[in-house]
Amino acid sequence: MTSSDAAVEIARPAASEVQRVVGRGFPLPIDFMFRKATVLAAFLVGAVLFATVIAITYDSWLSIKTFGFGFLFSQEWDPVAQKFGALPFIVGTLVSSTIAMILAIPISFGIAVFIAEIAPSWIKAPIAAAIELLAAVPSIVYGLWGLLIFAPVFGQFEPFINDHLGVIPGLGVLFRGPPMGIGMLTAGIVLGVMVLPYISSIMRDVFVAVPSSLRESAYAIGSTTWEVAWHILLPYTRSAVIGGIFLGLGRALGETMAVTFVIGNSNTLTPSLLMPGTTIPSVIANEFTEATTHLYLSSLIYLGLILIVITLIVRFAAVLLFRTLDRKGGIKT
Amino acid sequence: MSTLYKKRRAVAFVAGVLMAISTLIGVLFLLWILATTLKLGVSAMHWDLFINDTPPPGTDGYGLRNAFVGSLFLLGISLVIGVPIGLMAGTWLAEYGFQSRIANTVRFINDMMLSAPSIEIGLFSYAIMVDPMGHFSAISGSVALSILMIPVIVRTTDEMLTLVGSDLREAALALGAPTWKVITQITWKAARSGILTGIIIALARVSGETAPLLFTALNNQYFSTDLGHPIANLPVVIFQFAMSPYQNWQQMAWAGAFITVMFVLVLSIGARWILGRRQVQS
Amino acid sequence: MKLNRRSFAQAAVAVAVFGAVGAGLTANAYAGVRLTGAGSTWVYPLVAKWSAAYEKETGTQVNYQSIGSGGGIAQIKAGTVAFGASDMPLTPDELAKEGLIQFPTAIAGEDMIYNLAGIKPGEVVLSGPVVADIYLGKIKKWNDPAIAKLNPGLKLPDMDITVVHRSDGSGTTFTFADYLSKVSSEWKQKVGANTSVAWPTGVGGKGNEGVASYVQRIPGSIGYVEYAYILEGKLSYARMVNSDGKVVSPSLKGFQDAAAHVDFTKAQDFYVILTDKPGPETWPISGCTWQILRKNAPKATNEEVTKFFRWGFVKGQPMAESISFGPLPPATVSAIEAYWKKNLGL
């Protein structure tokens, strides 16, 4: 928006406001109805989130009453003994998403800088389009590809990981396991590929939008492309980049299909990334229709509630980070 | 050359290589996924898919007709529910609410819903529809899908309507048009390609969603267009068939995946094209 | 919108298109009876086959979704389906409490499957206690002495055993866990038997299909699936040492021998368990599969459901046998009819 647009923007009266001031002194019935209809729609939009949280809390109440906060730390998931605990699922959700982020963020950054700065102009558009195509692929296709194509191939690499990384004292325990092809690491990789397009297209959009005056002055004093990217582009677009990362993280945390196919569905907590694990969305997807008792169902919904809370925390953290960064950057908040 | 210069040059070189490698990795995975979907999907395509319904396990049948029709049906109904609500809510934000506190709160909540895990929406739909109704149904699946669609439509409608210049509105008002006419006949019309794009993007987003349908619309081995009963749908069928040990089922899963990807791609490219054309015009 | 010829024309075209599409969609509009059932993946091949043939003959659509026995039990308790299929029978107390009835459908068996390169189906011999120890995580390698003892002359590789179990609630699991509880006191104490148990180790696959799929893909893995899946997928199955100490292969005769040692008609609500029965050719991991109905469901619904299964008992036996599901003895079928009459008034 140019400054003249901004001036017009401030001075622009709403169609609705003008109507109130000039013309008819009273609203037409149909105007009234139309406005009320839009208000209703907006209210519905606002209300659905609350309704979701309320409905889910209500349905998980039995489990909350039975297990309380201990649910979050218990490793038991025993439908026979009717004892349920969320720890393996919370850990699995966080670990798989972390792996996905560790993989996706640097690669997205690399792609974004490549497209924005390095690539010759004839290649820019096709590559950008290619990366965005990744975002259009439905998650079930990721799951399908992950299970039937990627996992067998990855399974060939796993003995290598096991033998070479698994022997590192201490950290090696993360990498020891049978070459199944499926597991926490595979799920993290598939998730990473899934969120890659979201983060990288946001990064690319904002990098391209950085004023050329900034870029060119940096180049003029002899900066290399890397230095421009790291010291100019990234700090300038910090809040948008963080926003993009959190968008990707939100997706990763809630992803069901891509993960369920390849994570192995094991409710035992193990340190190894090569072993199967589980996440909150996978266990809900797998066990929901078969929860035989009210407590079992309620515990699954309790897990859903925990996931919402995690997602909300992540979202709030993003907004807070935005504001802190903006404030530090001198933008009025 | 000073060592600092050499060092910076080296760092830049390595960084450049890493960026290129990253891009290569990204493009590689895309090609891998698309290529396998294409290869396995195209080889599994057959006219029978559109003529026959899904076969029972362990038989030689080949068909996905009920899943295709079921999915189209679910998407159609969710459009009928989602578009009016999304459009009107976006209109309120852009034309009545502006930057007021309430409007910004609604925008914030909308953004939250945009990244809500789809399985949560499925749980919600189960709670408000399947449980009270006493059985799984196509309509509960559509409701879940429409809840996923609405935030996208609201956001794009809001942005597109805001982009429409005030001169159009003021001219209409000066001629004495009532507010609702200004909005529906002038502003909506002016932003129509952007709004349409938003709807198409929302549609593309929910086309591949499986989790919310798992315990709302369930699945059906028969052809059905009954709103009150479970309905066959492509994502759940793909899920079921892919995890099976049957050859024909796995092939059909790939065919289904291929068709889903094609559908979404066509929608996404179509959306871009509409928007692009509009920008060229203005 | 200006009311003129053009807008009328546009509206007319829109209506016509909409109508055509709607007509096309509803051309197959179903005016017949529809039933939804859900549950056991074990019985899925049978019910699906019966359902397809039944639809051709009577026009009634029986839509069966295999979501696991646990799911079948949950959904029939919630009343969201017309019948729930389970391989784990509910106890008479539980049936009475929830207002449900159950009756058996067919007899079948499950077996261990494995993925070992170079070793053909049926070559590996396992016993109950050995399988229990594998699933407890105590036996970790294929060339463990306990396995080698059962397989003299067979070269077993020095490979880790990857245990595959069910990730969903399943009657197949119940039958398997019940068998292990009978042959291993440690299993009985540590894990127990139910449609879903706390597995000490292993990977979870969804449905019989998921387990078969995982075992097919993971070298050195072992899993348990229903026999029909073994036949269909030509999977590598193991032979087992049965209660009499004999090494047997899974077969329809083996399952029926197990059933011969049990009298369905004497059991209240047909509550019988077929695992680890005596007999020289008896298959140790045999089981039955039940249908569960709600007593207070609309009478018409229960009528349609019983009609379907009556058809299955009378006309569906050849289909059942073709996928190695054993028919119920005639005395049992009569007892089922009497049970329906007593409990549902049908």
Side-chain angles (χ1 to χ4, degrees), chain B residues 230-248:
Chain B
I231 194 169
N233 55 84
L234 205 52
V236 173
V237 165
I238 296 176
F239 186 40
Q240 188 187 17
F241 283 16
M243 303 274 248
S244 76
Y246 307 115
Q247 267 277 53
N248 62 337

Side-chain angles (χ1 to χ4, degrees), chain A residues 162 177-179, chain C residues 116 140-142 157-163 219-221:
Chain A
N162 188 26
Chain C
L116 291 168
K140 293 197 214 283
K141 281 192 183 279
W142 280 103
D158 178 24
M159 214 179 184
D160 283 335
I161 305 182
T162 304
V163 168
S221 56

Side-chain angles (χ1 to χ4, degrees), chain A residues 158-174:
Chain A
E158 281 182 349
F160 179 80
I161 299 176
N162 188 26
D163 297 334
H164 289 84
L165 291 173
V167 294
I168 304 173
L171 214 58
V173 76
L174 281 176

